[in-house]
Amino acid sequence: MRADTGSKAVSTARRQFFNEGRPPQSLVAEPILRSWRRCADLGLDNQILPSLVPLTEGELRRASERNERLRRLSRPEIESLYAEAMQTGCVIILTDASGLILESRGHTAFASRAAQVALRPGVDWSESATGTNAVGTALLEGRPIAVHGGEHYFDPHGILSCSAAPIMDPFGRAVGVLDLSGPAAVDHRHALGLVRLAAEQIEHRFFDEGFAGLQVLRLGADRALLGTAREGVLVFDDGRLVAANRHGLGLFGIDWSALGSRRVDELVERLPQGAGIARMETAGRGVLFGRMDGEEATPSRIRGARMTPRGLPQFGELLLREEDERALLRAVKMIDAGVPVLIQGETGTGKEMAAREVHRRGPRAAAPFVAVNCAAIPETLIEAELFGYEEGAFTGARRHGRKGLLREAEGGVLFLDEIGDMPLSLQSRLLRVLQDREVLPLGGGRPVSVDFALVCATHRHLKALVESGTFRSDLYFRIAHYTIELPAVRDLTDRLATVRELWRRVARDERLALTAACEERLAAYDWPGNFRQLVGVLRMLAALAEPGQPVGTDLLPEEVAAHARPQPARAIAGATASDPADLDAIELAAMRRALEAHGGNVSKAARALGINRSTLYRRLLSTH
């Protein structure tokens, strides 16, 4: 929890600044004080909230369409943060470059409280409109920032604790802000790190499209960072720097003002050739490792990037059990035969990853994979998003209309995630499309034939929804011919091995290691957000880790560190038995196998089992 002294310091600072008219001395951070001064200069009264009128439905739709690329590239990160938001009572917010809220997802109870202070889609949260706040202040300061409780300019905003990071495009322009907001009474110490990492992922995804024919140099001081969002990226057109990310500029000590003026030979002595990673000599910056995406590689990457943005698996393939592998192989056969597939599992179990794997292995792999989250798209926009519309279908409709996502999936796979949250009014339209294989855009026009394979997913119990009348039975029987059940993390019998494998993929650096105690806590926690939450925490640990220092329990989120219960060796080993004597025998056998597997090294065997070295010694010695 935040220290009481911190709250008292902010209260004292507010009294000095707002009541006594004198600057507080080191009681609040400089960015907060600068923001208060800007707001005061605008004549804002900190005790009276300004009248904030949200956009109309049509205006919000137009704003969303103007920011379609930002919304699309941000969707995987919003999904990734969703579990964190639900567990900590927060909402995830995406705004445009002006601070206008485009999307808000998360905890319903807090969302209703936040709406009382106009923290909802269609409202302007720029600093000039709503005073000191994480969104508006991050935009003006040009960096991630947290604004907690009384640090907000307006008194009623003291109920909020907000952490936000600006999203920069490859040309140095702020195109939006990602924000995680929750109640000020709850500790959100990790929120700023999470949104900063998420913003970096979004910025990295911008380079997956739009640079056909240009030279894209990906580089870093550590070759293990190449291919991750922490790699530097520089784009050259005829040898001149035209685009970059913050990591790439930082490697050379320059900023975005260098775009258009710096040449490649001023930065590196020789560019890497071919597709592999090469060692590069730089101008005064030491040795870096890099690879070049040339003209041959870029177009193919761009063709698929728009329809297949990276989801949560920034670390590679799915972690599949043998039974999951068999289920996916059967699903591929279903897709080949034109049979819909339904994937069921709790939030964060990897439903979209499984769907992408079915697409990758199937006969439609060369065609688009179009993912639609039925719960993430605002209900006012979902019909136009799915079915498309004709020119003039509604106020603000695009000139020449829009195809819609169902037609975007032509020849490929349409993935309807969280279909259980699709509004009932649209379920009948979807059913008609699946029956007739034709789409009728909004605004009339002729029906258009469509050809796509269908994969649906949900975390909800669809049969119960059918019984309650909130999901159409005819649609359910149309999509549920073949069902895959994905397990929750807490149901896995080999959680320690899972944690280690995910850490290996996330950390990408053998020098970063988790302590045995940290591994035990991670393996023992129930993970209500499942793989999405677990991977998010591992990514956070990798970002906070100090070079050469093991990652301990002190860096774990409070709920993981406080509530995790170390698993007994039998649970970690994946064994089950009902008789205590059998359990002891299984536990001892697992210990001996681990010791043998590690060549008699007790320390390594104990780490593999997730128990203390002394425990392993004591149990083995007691049998002799």
Side-chain angles (χ1 to χ4, degrees):
M1 288 289 179
R2 298 217 179 198
D4 291 340
T5 53
S7 299
K8 292 178 180 178
V10 173
S11 298
T12 301
R14 291 187 70 83
R15 185 181 67 253
Q16 292 179 359
F17 186 88
F18 294 110
N19 300 340
E20 301 171 9
R22 59 190 179 95
Q25 300 298 322
S26 304
L27 294 176
V28 292
E30 280 300 315
I32 301 296
L33 184 55
R34 285 196 296 268
S35 176
W36 285 1
R37 287 170 174 156
R38 288 192 296 265
C39 295
D41 290 342
L42 290 172
L44 301 180
D45 186 338
N46 68 292
Q47 296 182 344
I48 304 174
L49 276 178
S51 177
L52 298 172
V53 180
L55 299 183
T56 65
E57 181 179 311
E59 290 170 335
L60 179 58
R61 182 187 295 113
R62 289 193 293 273
S64 296
E65 289 178 351
R66 287 195 301 270
N67 292 275
E68 180 180 2
R69 186 186 185 200
L70 171 66
R71 291 170 54 235
R72 172 168 50 82
L73 296 180
S74 301
R75 254 174 218 158
E77 303 314 313
I78 291 175
E79 286 297 300
S80 181
L81 288 171
Y82 181 72
E84 172 72 17
M86 292 300 292
Q87 186 169 358
T88 57
C90 295
V91 292
I92 312 146
I93 290 168
L94 178 69
T95 81
D96 68 4
S98 69
L100 175 72
I101 298 179
L102 300 172
E103 297 183 19
S104 175
R105 285 197 69 201
H107 201 278
T108 305
F110 179 71
S112 62
R113 286 187 64 202
Q116 297 173 10
V117 289
L119 190 65
R120 62 181 187 269
V123 177
D124 178 8
W125 272 71
S126 64
E127 195 179 83
S128 60
T130 48
T132 304
N133 71 90
V135 168
T137 306
L139 280 171
L140 286 179
E141 292 284 328
R143 62 176 179 172
I145 193 167
V147 180
H148 179 75
E151 292 174 344
H152 288 84
Y153 188 81
F154 288 110
D155 291 349
H157 291 166
I159 66 171
L160 303 174
S161 178
C162 309
S163 299
I167 302 168
M168 311 298 290
D169 75 2
F171 310 103
R173 300 175 300 211
V175 292
V177 173
L178 193 65
D179 172 272
L180 195 61
S181 291
V186 178
D187 181 17
H188 302 285
R189 73 181 69 183
H190 295 296
L192 187 60
L194 291 174
V195 295
R196 180 180 62 80
L197 288 172
E200 286 184 358
Q201 296 283 0
I202 298 167
E203 292 173 352
H204 189 253
R205 207 169 285 124
F206 269 95
F207 291 91
D208 283 346
E209 52 185 281
F211 296 107
L214 304 183
Q215 292 178 306
V216 182
L217 177 61
R218 299 174 183 272
L219 71 170
D222 186 343
R223 66 168 63 228
L225 297 180
L226 297 185
T228 75
R230 297 169 71 186
E231 70 180 355
V233 184
L234 303 177
V235 181
F236 297 96
D237 183 4
D238 194 25
R240 191 175 298 278
L241 182 65
V242 295
N245 69 354
R246 285 183 271 200
H247 290 299
L249 296 171
L251 288 170
F252 296 93
I254 56 179
D255 57 27
W256 272 293
S257 65
L259 300 187
S261 62
R262 301 297 291 268
R263 297 194 60 81
V264 64
D265 52 11
E266 299 177 55
L267 303 175
V268 296
E269 295 180 4
R270 183 187 305 173
L271 288 174
Q273 302 297 317
I277 297 175
R279 180 185 174 95
M280 298 187 308
E281 296 289 340
T282 64
R285 290 283 166 175
V287 175
L288 297 176
F289 297 93
R291 75 171 193 273
M292 182 69 76
D293 290 350
E295 295 184 9
E296 296 80 14
T298 305
S300 63
R301 206 164 33 82
I302 290 172
R303 279 197 297 272
R306 191 173 70 84
M307 302 314 301
T308 56
R310 294 183 188 178
L312 182 139
Q314 302 293 331
F315 44 84
E317 300 290 327
L318 273 169
L319 288 179
L320 295 175
R321 303 173 302 165
E322 187 176 341
E323 53 266 45
D324 298 329
E325 179 72 26
R326 287 196 299 267
L328 285 185
L329 290 175
R330 293 192 187 106
V332 170
K333 293 180 180 179
M334 296 298 109
I335 291 297
D336 194 15
V339 177
V341 172
L342 175 64
I343 304 174
Q344 296 189 131
E346 294 183 8
T347 297
T349 50
K351 297 186 291 293
E352 182 171 344
M353 286 188 284
R356 289 182 182 277
E357 189 68 8
V358 170
H359 170 250
R360 187 183 71 83
R361 299 186 187 192
R364 297 174 180 257
F369 177 93
V370 179
V372 182
N373 190 316
C374 301
I377 302 176
E379 188 169 342
T380 56
L381 300 177
I382 190 171
E383 190 170 14
E385 291 264 2
L386 284 177
F387 302 105
Y389 53 81
E390 298 292 331
E391 181 175 355
F394 48 81
T395 302
R398 281 183 177 181
R399 189 180 179 187
H400 307 307
R402 180 176 178 178
K403 288 173 63 175
L405 293 170
L406 271 68
R407 290 170 62 190
E408 295 279 9
E410 180 67 25
V413 171
L414 175 68
F415 175 59
L416 296 180
D417 195 9
E418 301 303 355
I419 192 169
D421 294 305
M422 176 177 281
L424 192 61
S425 60
L426 294 186
Q427 293 176 23
S428 58
R429 286 205 64 186
L430 176 62
L431 180 63
R432 179 61 61 88
V433 171
L434 298 180
Q435 290 173 339
D436 300 341
R437 289 289 161 174
E438 289 183 339
V439 170
L440 182 64
L442 297 180
R446 296 180 178 178
V448 180
S449 297
V450 288
D451 171 33
F452 55 77
L454 181 66
V455 180
C456 299
T458 181
H459 73 286
R460 307 183 70 180
H461 188 8
L462 286 189
K463 287 185 178 179
L465 295 182
V466 170
E467 293 172 1
S468 68
T470 56
F471 197 86
R472 293 180 62 107
S473 60
D474 45 5
L475 179 59
Y476 171 73
F477 291 118
R478 169 70 67 170
I479 66 175
H481 292 301
Y482 179 74
T483 300
I484 298 175
E485 294 279 353
L486 295 181
V489 171
R490 64 179 171 277
D491 294 331
L492 299 177
T493 56
D494 56 351
R495 274 192 274 176
L496 185 62
T498 299
V499 167
R500 286 175 174 161
E501 176 59 19
L502 290 176
W503 175 253
R504 183 185 67 81
R505 299 183 185 191
V506 167
R508 294 177 179 267
D509 188 344
E510 294 180 356
R511 294 170 297 178
L512 291 181
L514 301 173
T515 65
C518 188
E519 287 182 335
E520 288 178 10
R521 294 296 180 92
L522 290 167
Y525 189 56
D526 278 346
W527 298 110
N530 293 296
F531 287 102
R532 182 182 296 132
Q533 183 189 11
L534 172 55
V535 171
V537 169
L538 292 176
R539 285 168 54 187
M540 180 197 69
L541 293 177
L544 295 176
E546 295 292 337
Q549 297 294 321
V551 179
T553 56
D554 58 310
L555 294 181
L556 289 173
E558 183 179 355
E559 66 274 11
V560 179
H563 300 295
R565 296 180 300 277
Q567 294 176 292
R570 58 179 175 271
I572 295 169
T576 58
S578 56
D579 184 75
D582 291 339
L583 289 173
D584 286 341
I586 291 170
E587 179 178 294
L588 188 60
M591 290 178 174
R592 286 173 173 164
R593 283 197 302 270
L595 192 63
E596 182 179 353
H598 290 88
N601 188 310
V602 176
S603 296
K604 290 183 178 179
R607 281 198 298 271
L609 290 168
I611 61 177
N612 292 327
R613 185 169 177 267
S614 58
T615 301
L616 182 57
Y617 261 127
R618 187 176 62 254
R619 290 290 287 114
L620 291 174
L621 288 173
S622 67
T623 63
H624 294 287

